[in-house]
Amino acid sequence: MATIKDVSRMANVSISTVSRVINSTAQVAPEKKVAVLAAMKELNFRPNSFAQALVSKRSNCVGVLVGDLCGGPFFAQMMRGIETVVDRADKFTIVMSGNHDEVRERHAIQALLQRQCDALILHSKALPDEELSELAAGSTPVVFINRQVPGAEDRCVWLDNQAGITTACQHLLDAGHHQIAFVTSDDEEFVDGQQRMAGYTHALARAGIEVNPALIGRAFADENGGYVAMTALLARGVPFSAVLGFNDAMVAGAISCLLERGYKIPQQVSVVGFDDIPYARYIYPKLTTVRYPIEAMGGRAAELALRLLDHKPAEGLTLKFEAELVARESVTEMA
Amino acid sequence: MATIKDVSRMANVSISTVSRVINSTAQVAPEKKVAVLAAMKELNFRPNSFAQALVSKRSNCVGVLVGDLCGGPFFAQMMRGIETVVDRADKFTIVMSGNHDEVRERHAIQALLQRQCDALILHSKALPDEELSELAAGSTPVVFINRQVPGAEDRCVWLDNQAGITTACQHLLDAGHHQIAFVTSDDEEFVDGQQRMAGYTHALARAGIEVNPALIGRAFADENGGYVAMTALLARGVPFSAVLGFNDAMVAGAISCLLERGYKIPQQVSVVGFDDIPYARYIYPKLTTVRYPIEAMGGRAAELALRLLDHKPAEGLTLKFEAELVARESVTEMA
DNA sequence: CTGTTAGCGCTTTCAG
DNA sequence: CTGAAAGCGCTAACAG
């Protein structure tokens, strides 16, 4: 790789001058500028980003902690949102997976910090609030996505889970359903789970319906879990005309289970999911769901991070997002 | 951030000694070692990776070019395979998306190179062979995944597409099907498409069946394309008892179309896909498909890259992979 | 075993 | 407008 020295030699100028044209950090005589540009092209020169980072104390990288890129399209979409805006700012994104594990999340954050990322965007599920707010107090700007860290509310981009489920549930209520089963996560510690449960309870309460515990199925929040939870629900024999799901994945599993047992969807049971994963429209029948605007949220988090690291004011950036209903074919009016 | 100097001062040793304990690059008196370790912990010292990279000419990063992390689980799984082995080697992975676009792929590779990645793993679809082999001839080790670059065969990790489709098709043939439709990509330039088409033709030929062009549906290789292609196929009115798909996504779309029109699957038409995406088992009915071992392939590519950058022999690493049949419920014997 | 020293490639004062 | 020079934090000879 050619260095700045090679360029300066070939262009017959000092390295400072080369540096100036690289960074347009000061005026340079047009003729010299031309010579430098020519030499750069000739030598196929690319400034060494490590040397730049070392001296300028800027890596031009924003580090991102995700759960698991393979767990579904969720994090991939989030990354797309982030990358789009980071890219536009001519910076890089560097990702690490925490796999929802405390030790690994901590390790990943350390690694990101050691790489001197200029800012961090964290989707941490496993780390305690204290640790996170301590991090937020450090010198590197940190923004949290999908989590409300006490004391760092102005750095948290989040979705109103409760309102989202309420929307979904209301849609079912509006269609005349009263016996609505809820298939949800079995992780009691999981804040999203609590909030969504609250949304379900809230919507029902508003409609004057009491929650029937027998209509709540819990399992791991993936397709298989949805299948398992639905199997258990069916075994209880308590009738229901609609199913609300913690997420589309669980709902896909639940639908599989229902279909296998000969239920007609939506004729016999209506179903609504949460997330609007890309496959939602290819599930049979096309899934009515509530859209998790994760890509937009990722973008917003990135904008916030960029503002913070530029010491620009971050006012005017909306941090709270809402899930909107996407009506497709898995819900029908009660007879 | 504390520097090596701070540590050396606190531990009353020279920076060289600190460097030695950091890298265990030479023996250090036990007492001093203890002192250094203590100081490092006390100061929460993390070596500046840019300084390390600058002087040692090693970034400990492997760069990866993917198509689009959001396009489905494919690249995410590939990344998981890669990250697992890169992580084990205590190195980092840095990803960029090329979005199957020539200009962006080129730009991403340049960016990766400028970041002085120690090695590159490329999933390039858009760049011409020449450009790729030129890259491979450069000083940074490059391995290609999912593409056979002439002259760099020992750096290409690939799937035998033709054999995979042949396997899938044979499964249908074995079940007694003779009229097998093929729903495939409409991109004639696309090598994978050509190879899979060849596999279809080959399997049929081997069974003494002539290919009927009216049984081939082409469209963009995603779910929507599958829907479109199937619609067109049905419109032609040529009977078929089974459908083979270019990938699971297309097949999901095709199934949607069939189901909508009241066809029973697999009773009236058997279906087999290609890829075994995670959702394959949640598609209704559970999809019989052929597994694309992309995670394993990613891992293999990473192993190869690691060997290359360590100048270790790469013999013994299998570069060619085969897709294996995963029989589920979307195929049935002909009456 | 240990300290001194010379850079890695680049940015940034500071004098001209 | 331009060049010289001083580092950024670290590793790797090279002498002790």
Side-chain angles (χ1 to χ4, degrees):
Chain A
M1 245 328 188
T3 75
I4 197 175
K5 230 172 185 165
D6 300 322
V7 176
S8 75
R9 204 174 303 134
M10 174 175 275
N12 271 314
V13 296
S14 70
I15 60 170
S16 323
T17 299
V18 177
S19 176
R20 286 180 189 114
V21 352
I22 293 172
N23 306 291
S24 2
T25 180
Q27 292 293 319
V28 170
E31 57 204 81
K32 300 210 171 188
K33 186 166 178 175
V34 170
V36 169
L37 257 11
M40 295 204 328
K41 171 155 285 181
E42 168 74 20
L43 295 168
N44 189 24
F45 168 81
R46 303 265 138 220
N48 180 315
S49 55
F50 293 129
Q52 290 181 309
L54 182 58
V55 61
S56 65
K57 310 235 175 249
R58 275 268 187 138
S59 66
N60 279 319
C61 270
V62 352
V64 181
L65 172 71
V66 301
D68 172 11
L69 277 178
C70 299
F74 186 84
F75 289 110
Q77 284 175 227
M78 178 176 116
M79 284 310 305
R80 171 146 63 182
I82 293 174
E83 275 185 326
T84 304
V85 357
V86 170
D87 202 72
R88 202 182 302 140
D90 251 307
K91 295 187 190 299
F92 287 77
T93 303
I94 155 168
V95 209
M96 302 221 54
S97 301
N99 293 290
H100 309 297
D101 173 86
E102 184 168 345
V103 176
R104 289 156 95 167
E105 283 191 0
R106 190 173 293 121
H107 173 263
I109 293 176
Q110 286 310 316
L112 255 15
L113 249 17
Q114 178 173 357
R115 284 261 151 201
Q116 348 287 130
C117 289
D118 294 336
L120 258 33
I121 297 177
L122 309 180
H123 185 291
S124 170
K125 215 170 150 176
L127 259 18
D129 281 341
E130 306 82 57
E131 196 164 343
L132 258 21
S133 45
E134 202 170 296
L135 251 177
S139 53
T140 304
V142 179
V143 355
F144 302 97
I145 189 160
N146 234 331
R147 176 154 177 174
Q148 293 173 74
V149 178
E153 287 80 2
D154 56 339
R155 278 129 200 260
C156 296
V157 172
W158 58 288
L159 180 79
D160 191 336
N161 275 297
Q162 176 169 343
I165 279 283
T166 297
T167 300
C169 196
Q170 189 60 49
H171 181 62
L172 254 11
L173 257 8
D174 290 345
H177 296 276
H178 294 101
Q179 297 168 310
I180 303 176
F182 186 39
V183 171
T184 189
S185 166
D186 60 358
D187 182 351
E188 308 265 348
E189 300 292 295
F190 189 19
V191 186
D192 294 28
Q194 296 163 6
Q195 295 173 341
R196 294 190 194 178
M197 177 60 80
Y200 170 67
T201 309
H202 175 67
L204 290 187
R206 215 165 53 178
I209 300 175
E210 205 179 329
V211 172
N212 179 351
L215 248 29
I216 296 175
R218 290 179 179 279
F220 189 79
D222 66 0
E223 305 92 333
N224 191 48
Y227 187 97
V228 169
M230 182 49 71
T231 306
L233 226 40
L234 255 17
R236 290 186 201 143
V238 180
F240 54 85
S241 68
V243 179
L244 186 62
F246 175 79
N247 62 21
D248 290 349
M250 285 196 90
V251 156
I255 288 178
S256 262
C257 175
L258 253 12
L259 252 19
E260 263 184 38
R261 284 171 173 64
Y263 287 89
K264 299 260 179 255
I265 301 175
Q267 297 80 349
Q268 291 173 270
V269 13
S270 285
V271 179
V272 12
F274 196 112
D275 278 354
D276 193 28
I277 56 176
Y279 277 93
R281 68 182 63 212
Y282 295 99
I283 287 172
Y284 180 80
K286 294 186 175 56
L287 194 62
T288 287
T289 186
V290 116
R291 174 169 301 144
Y292 199 132
I294 185 60
E295 185 169 342
M297 289 170 68
R300 185 63 47 81
E303 284 168 24
L304 178 55
L306 257 20
R307 296 252 190 124
L308 290 173
L309 74 81
D310 281 339
H311 305 289
K312 277 196 227 147
E315 297 135 23
L317 285 186
T318 308
L319 269 24
K320 173 183 168 186
F321 285 72
E322 304 257 358
E324 278 172 27
L325 190 82
V326 183
R328 283 198 275 254
E329 303 168 359
S330 64
V331 172
T332 193
E333 296 270 334
M334 272 293 274
Chain B
M1 248 321 189
T3 76
I4 198 175
K5 229 171 186 167
D6 300 322
V7 175
S8 75
R9 204 174 302 133
M10 174 175 274
N12 271 311
V13 296
S14 71
I15 60 169
S16 324
T17 300
V18 177
S19 175
R20 285 179 189 114
V21 351
I22 294 171
N23 306 291
S24 3
T25 181
Q27 291 292 317
V28 171
E31 56 204 81
K32 300 210 170 186
K33 185 166 178 175
V34 170
V36 170
L37 257 13
M40 294 201 333
K41 171 155 284 180
E42 169 74 21
L43 295 168
N44 189 23
F45 168 79
R46 303 266 137 220
N48 180 313
S49 55
F50 293 128
Q52 290 180 311
L54 182 58
V55 60
S56 65
K57 311 243 176 238
R58 274 269 188 139
S59 65
N60 277 319
C61 270
V62 352
V64 182
L65 172 72
V66 301
D68 172 12
L69 277 177
C70 298
F74 186 85
F75 289 110
Q77 285 175 226
M78 179 176 116
M79 284 311 304
R80 171 146 64 181
I82 293 174
E83 273 186 325
T84 303
V85 356
V86 170
D87 201 73
R88 202 183 300 138
D90 252 307
K91 296 188 189 301
F92 287 76
T93 303
I94 155 167
V95 210
M96 301 220 55
S97 302
N99 293 292
H100 311 296
D101 174 84
E102 183 167 347
V103 176
R104 289 156 96 168
E105 284 191 358
R106 190 173 293 120
H107 174 263
I109 293 175
Q110 286 310 317
L112 256 13
L113 249 18
Q114 179 174 357
R115 283 262 152 202
Q116 349 285 130
C117 289
D118 294 336
L120 258 34
I121 297 177
L122 309 180
H123 185 291
S124 170
K125 216 169 148 174
L127 261 17
D129 280 342
E130 308 81 58
E131 194 164 344
L132 260 19
S133 45
E134 200 170 297
L135 250 177
S139 53
T140 304
V142 179
V143 355
F144 301 97
I145 190 159
N146 235 328
R147 175 152 176 176
Q148 293 172 74
V149 178
E153 287 80 3
D154 57 339
R155 277 128 200 263
C156 297
V157 172
W158 59 288
L159 179 79
D160 190 335
N161 276 297
Q162 176 168 345
I165 279 282
T166 297
T167 300
C169 196
Q170 188 60 49
H171 180 64
L172 253 13
L173 258 7
D174 290 345
H177 296 277
H178 294 102
Q179 298 168 310
I180 303 176
F182 186 39
V183 171
T184 190
S185 167
D186 59 358
D187 181 352
E188 309 265 346
E189 299 292 293
F190 189 18
V191 186
D192 294 29
Q194 296 164 4
Q195 295 173 340
R196 293 189 194 178
M197 177 59 81
Y200 169 67
T201 308
H202 175 67
L204 254 32
R206 215 166 52 178
I209 300 174
E210 205 178 329
V211 172
N212 179 351
L215 250 27
I216 295 176
R218 291 178 179 279
F220 190 77
D222 66 0
E223 304 93 333
N224 192 48
Y227 188 97
V228 170
M230 182 49 69
T231 306
L233 226 38
L234 256 17
R236 290 187 204 143
V238 181
F240 54 85
S241 68
V243 179
L244 186 62
F246 175 79
N247 62 21
D248 290 349
M250 286 196 89
V251 156
I255 288 179
S256 264
C257 174
L258 254 11
L259 252 19
E260 264 184 36
R261 284 169 174 63
Y263 288 88
K264 299 259 180 255
I265 300 175
Q267 296 82 348
Q268 291 172 269
V269 14
S270 286
V271 178
V272 11
F274 196 113
D275 278 353
D276 194 28
I277 56 176
Y279 277 93
R281 67 181 66 211
Y282 296 99
I283 287 173
Y284 180 78
K286 292 186 176 57
L287 194 62
T288 287
T289 186
V290 116
R291 173 168 302 142
Y292 199 131
I294 185 60
E295 185 169 343
M297 289 170 69
R300 185 63 45 80
E303 285 168 24
L304 178 55
L306 257 21
R307 296 253 190 121
L308 290 173
L309 74 82
D310 281 339
H311 304 289
K312 277 195 227 151
E315 297 134 24
L317 286 185
T318 308
L319 268 25
K320 174 184 167 186
F321 285 71
E322 303 260 358
E324 278 172 28
L325 190 82
V326 183
R328 283 198 275 253
E329 303 169 359
S330 64
V331 172
T332 193
E333 297 270 333
M334 274 292 276

